[in-house]
Amino acid sequence: MIKSTIKGIGHYVPENVVTNDDLSKLMTTNDEWITERTGIKERHHRKNRNDSEETTAFLAFKASEKALKMANLTAKDIDYIIFATLSPDYYFPGSGVLLQEMLGCDTIGALDVRNQCSGFVYAMSVANAFIKSKMYKNILVVGAEVHSFGLDFSDAGRGVSVIFGDGAGAVILSASDKEEDGDILSVNMHSEGKYADELCTKFPGSKFGWSDRMRLEPESVTDAEIYPVMNGNFVFKHAVTRFPETMNEALESAGKTIDDLDMFIPHQANLRIAQFVQKKFNLPDEKVFNNIQKFGNTTAASIPIALSEAIEQGRIKKNDLVLLSAFGSGFTWGSVLFQY
Ligand code: UT7
């Protein structure tokens, strides 16, 4: 039986730290509101919003270099790239091909995944299937985002813009038949597209043009179309319902219980959501990893950044049972349960 084992992991964020106080100079907000409602104290934004070098693919490249080093592999050993992001460098092509070029990989396949906050969980599920089917041996799975260039930093956007941060996380998922290596034990993925408008960015989408209007005609585009919009309360309520469902599904399909779990890493959307779920499952603090306080919500990058930090800090050890779960725009949600 072929196992899908994590051989390497790494993360990277832009140097520039933006505190809640920094944001309060741009809009009517304050540290107390942001901390109380979300748990976030700071996030990383690239220095210049219009920087054309520190792009999503670049952040992914830096994280991938670390993951390759840990796996003791080179870019030539990678058979396939799966790149999850909602903030790609180009409208098309996806960022996967840019990463292939930056790393100097062979002309391997590069698949972009567009599942927002659940993007990394979806990407890992696909990578697991490719490995289990023996199609590929070493897959680079990335979640990366540059949110800072596309947020509304005026009062109108404060409900959304204080939440998001830039960053990237990368995992090398490799085929193994070694007894001592870990494995992905179960995955699940879900969607409910009727709620697409509850958390989305509309522009440039084919639904939002009309016959006498080209895609790029700035004067006819409204702020509500170019910036992300979120019905926060609505999303929150669905998140706290779907998280427990997908977690239970992942554990049950692997024949495990919540007591078997060594570490739970929720998508870092809001500390209150993570705490709600932790309480529901009665999980002790040492079995839950959160770092939203430092990075904000980095959507597809949040789980691999958290996983990378948890491993780096020794919070996850070899053979530990780890559950990754996410919920977000789409709506989409899902989980990956693995033995490290
Ligand atoms: O990652 C993808 C999935 N995303 C999520 O899971 C996010 C889920 N939702 C949330 O995390 C929360 O709904 C938010 C953190 C986004 C918002 O928290 P909330 O407790 O739901 O606040 P609210 O939107 O109900 O706003 C409460 C008040 C409003 O004022 P009024 O109408 O009560 O006077 C807002 O205008 O807070 C105001 N407000 C702010 N005040 C200061 C909204 N944003 C801010 C802000 N600073 N940044």
Side-chain angles (χ1 to χ4, degrees):
M1 175 67 181
I2 296 291
K3 294 176 172 183
S4 306
T5 193
I6 293 180
K7 283 273 180 215
I9 184 158
H11 68 279
Y12 178 81
V13 291
E15 262 176 45
N16 181 41
V17 175
V18 177
T19 64
N20 293 343
D21 287 339
D22 292 334
L23 290 179
S24 71
K25 289 170 196 139
L26 302 174
M27 64 187 94
T28 314
T29 190
N30 55 73
D31 176 52
E32 195 188 349
W33 190 96
I34 302 173
T35 307
E36 211 171 88
R37 305 279 174 142
T38 70
I40 300 166
K41 297 301 281 182
E42 57 190 40
R43 71 288 291 143
H44 293 247
H45 286 170
R46 64 183 184 186
K47 191 96 185 139
N48 302 309
R49 269 188 237 154
N50 58 354
D51 187 341
S52 60
E53 281 175 21
E54 208 169 19
T55 65
T56 309
F58 178 79
L59 302 188
F61 166 70
K62 300 296 270 184
S64 301
E65 280 189 324
K66 293 181 186 173
L68 281 168
K69 193 167 175 217
M70 179 174 166
N72 208 10
L73 295 174
T74 73
K76 297 285 178 202
D77 297 312
I78 299 299
D79 306 312
Y80 198 68
I81 293 171
I82 306 182
F83 197 123
T85 186
L86 64 72
S87 52
D89 303 43
Y90 292 75
Y91 180 61
F92 74 83
S95 295
V97 298
L98 307 176
L99 181 60
Q100 176 270 336
E101 169 64 15
M102 283 179 187
L103 284 169
C105 297
D106 291 333
T107 55
I108 54 171
L111 171 72
D112 276 58
V113 166
R114 295 197 43 173
N115 288 82
Q116 303 68 247
C117 304
S118 315
F120 186 75
V121 160
Y122 268 70
M124 285 289 273
S125 305
V126 173
N128 177 50
F130 277 139
I131 283 177
K132 294 270 158 66
S133 70
K134 301 188 184 164
M135 186 144 169
Y136 298 118
K137 284 203 173 101
N138 296 307
I139 302 182
L140 173 59
V141 188
V142 178
E145 306 285 3
V146 175
H147 283 297
S148 57
F149 84 104
L151 297 171
D152 179 359
F153 289 102
S154 75
D155 279 9
R158 66 181 182 167
V160 173
S161 57
V162 299
I163 296 170
F164 293 104
D166 303 343
V171 160
I172 311 284
L173 198 67
S174 297
S176 172
D177 56 6
K178 290 199 188 116
E179 173 94 36
E180 67 271 22
D181 278 346
D183 191 13
I184 290 184
L185 306 183
S186 79
V187 299
N188 64 70
M189 291 169 273
H190 297 278
S191 69
E192 200 169 27
K194 70 178 169 195
Y195 297 129
D197 281 4
E198 305 298 336
L199 174 47
C200 65
T201 299
K202 292 180 174 161
F203 191 82
S206 61
K207 191 177 172 185
F208 303 97
W210 51 85
S211 57
D212 61 351
R213 178 174 144 190
M214 300 294 287
R215 189 197 291 158
L216 290 171
E217 205 180 327
E219 62 277 9
S220 53
V221 177
T222 68
D223 279 4
E225 286 171 330
I226 57 170
Y227 292 123
V229 287
M230 171 163 68
N231 184 351
N233 281 302
F234 190 84
V235 177
F236 195 104
K237 282 182 196 137
H238 281 258
V240 295
T241 308
R242 296 306 190 184
F243 263 106
E245 285 176 14
T246 177
M247 292 165 68
N248 278 327
E249 186 182 343
L251 290 164
E252 276 163 26
S253 47
K256 304 281 184 191
T257 71
I258 197 78
D259 294 332
D260 296 322
L261 208 58
D262 295 298
M263 183 57 79
F264 171 54
I265 301 186
H267 160 54
Q268 301 292 290
N270 183 324
L271 195 60
R272 283 160 58 213
I273 296 177
Q275 286 166 341
F276 179 94
V277 175
Q278 175 176 355
K279 205 167 160 204
K280 187 167 177 71
F281 284 91
N282 210 9
L283 283 164
D285 286 349
E286 62 272 18
K287 289 193 176 186
V288 183
F289 191 85
N290 289 304
N291 61 7
I292 192 169
Q293 300 90 332
K294 292 190 299 178
F295 299 113
N297 179 347
T298 57
T299 53
S302 94
I303 288 182
I305 292 175
L307 181 59
S308 174
E309 276 212 319
I311 290 172
E312 207 171 72
Q313 293 170 14
R315 294 274 308 271
I316 295 175
K317 294 176 195 66
K318 204 82 196 118
N319 284 318
D320 276 0
L321 187 67
V322 182
L323 178 60
L324 314 174
S325 300
F327 176 89
S329 159
F331 292 154
T332 59
W333 63 99
S335 290
V336 172
L337 180 72
F338 70 96
Q339 200 102 42
Y340 182 53

